[in-house]
Amino acid sequence: MKILHTIPREDGFFMPAEFEPHYGCLMIWPERADSWQYGAVAARRAFCEVAKAIAESEKVIMLVSFEQYDTAREMLPEYIRVVEMSTDDSWARDCGPTFVKNKAGEIRGIDWGFNAWGGLYDGLYFPWDKDNKVARKVCDLLEKDTYDARDFILEGGAIHSDGEGTVMVTESCLLSKGRNPELTKEEIEQKLKAYLNVEKVLWLPCGIYNDETNEHIDNICAFTAPGEVVLAWTDDTKDPQYEMSKRCFDYLMQETDAKGRKILVHKLPLPSPVYMTEEECEGLIHWDGEPTRTDGERLAASYVNFYIANKSIVMPFFGDEKDEEAKKILEQLFPMRKVVPVSARDILIGGGNIHCITQQIPLWK
Ligand code: KQY
């Protein structure tokens, strides 16, 4: 594997959309006792369900610590590859490589800087040095060259690409003080354009209420096709999420993408607000003397945090009355894929959902 100091745009590499063909998917086994309640037992079951659903149509590689290797190997079917790697937590979307592709079908990784969603400013754990090496190690494992972009802090959950020259991000995340405070919005946009090789960056103002990632795009809005998105939506005007979703909707309605298309926005309902229970809080160990969650805390539950596999959409269910309605909408938007729900409360407690724990690896020639 070569470490590249050039820029994808100069080399003819660009970020494909998630709905384009995959070789497979990267995941990381849950273990941290301040992220995953009661020794991560229930979280592991949920991760297994996600991995098995994805593995029906693409390869799944599960990274796991030395200590958890035997458990993971026993709980996962043999067709899922289990590979030992040191990590700090389980967010493959955010610490894994972002893959770019060229016209010949070759792929390369981008190794962004990772600082646990905000470093010493408002990061979610310390240290994060093991996670910061995951992207590079994965590229080594897959024998793919990797761009050194470690001077720029970015997580995979903070970007969505349509594969046709447009990416979406949120201002709340990309402009947060814990990411790249020395860069202006214009400089950040130039960086995204150069590394993802796109012509247009859509800056949604915000994401999901109380999303501790500074409101990643992948919880509020996702491309379902070029020129088409799903946006997390509530009609409850008393919910603080209403104003947030409305601002995003209004922004998208007056924007066009890189190809000059108006953006077709499909509203995807949100579940009723989901809150941490006292029992769940008691199952988490404290980090640095502080609880990571508090009783009654609202979690950033959203159906938009789904993963697009080759032949399926793996989506979170919350045991909510909106589960089936959201599933039907995704079935209509992805008629060639089977929509597979996974009960995701135990993933949500960790601070993200199915999209956050997965990272697609595009198919290469
Ligand atoms: O991408 C994500 N949603 C990850 C959140 C990390 C939370 C750490 N507890």
Side-chain angles (χ1 to χ4, degrees), residues 281-344:
C281 290
E282 280 169 5
L284 290 168
I285 66 150
H286 288 193
W287 174 68
D288 206 20
E290 295 289 326
T292 41
R293 299 261 174 265
T294 47
D295 180 18
E297 174 181 336
R298 182 163 168 182
L299 298 168
S302 164
Y303 298 112
V304 169
N305 212 290
F306 55 82
Y307 178 77
I308 308 176
N310 280 337
K311 292 193 179 153
S312 63
I313 301 295
V314 186
M315 73 172 293
F317 262 20
F318 301 101
D320 188 90
E321 58 176 17
K322 290 281 196 302
D323 284 358
E324 287 299 333
E325 188 184 332
K327 179 169 179 260
K328 281 201 184 80
I329 293 172
L330 291 179
E331 280 167 347
Q332 281 159 9
L333 294 172
F334 293 100
M336 305 306 285
R337 287 174 164 95
K338 182 179 162 201
V339 178
V340 183
V342 172
S343 290

Side-chain angles (χ1 to χ4, degrees), residues 26-29 61-65 83 85 87 134 138 141:
L26 180 73
M27 293 181 69
I28 307 174
W29 193 246
I61 303 174
M62 184 71 75
L63 307 180
V64 60
S65 69
V83 176
M85 191 177 287
T87 65
V134 167
V138 168
L141 187 70

Side-chain angles (χ1 to χ4, degrees), residues 7-51:
I7 288 172
R9 187 174 55 197
E10 291 167 358
D11 301 341
F13 281 78
F14 65 95
M15 185 183 175
E18 190 171 324
F19 44 74
E20 292 178 48
H22 298 177
Y23 159 79
C25 177
L26 180 73
M27 293 181 69
I28 307 174
W29 193 246
E31 188 173 349
R32 266 186 97 96
D34 56 355
S35 286
W36 310 105
Q37 54 158 352
Y38 297 104
V41 172
R44 281 178 202 139
R45 280 194 211 108
F47 273 56
C48 285
E49 289 313 304
V50 171

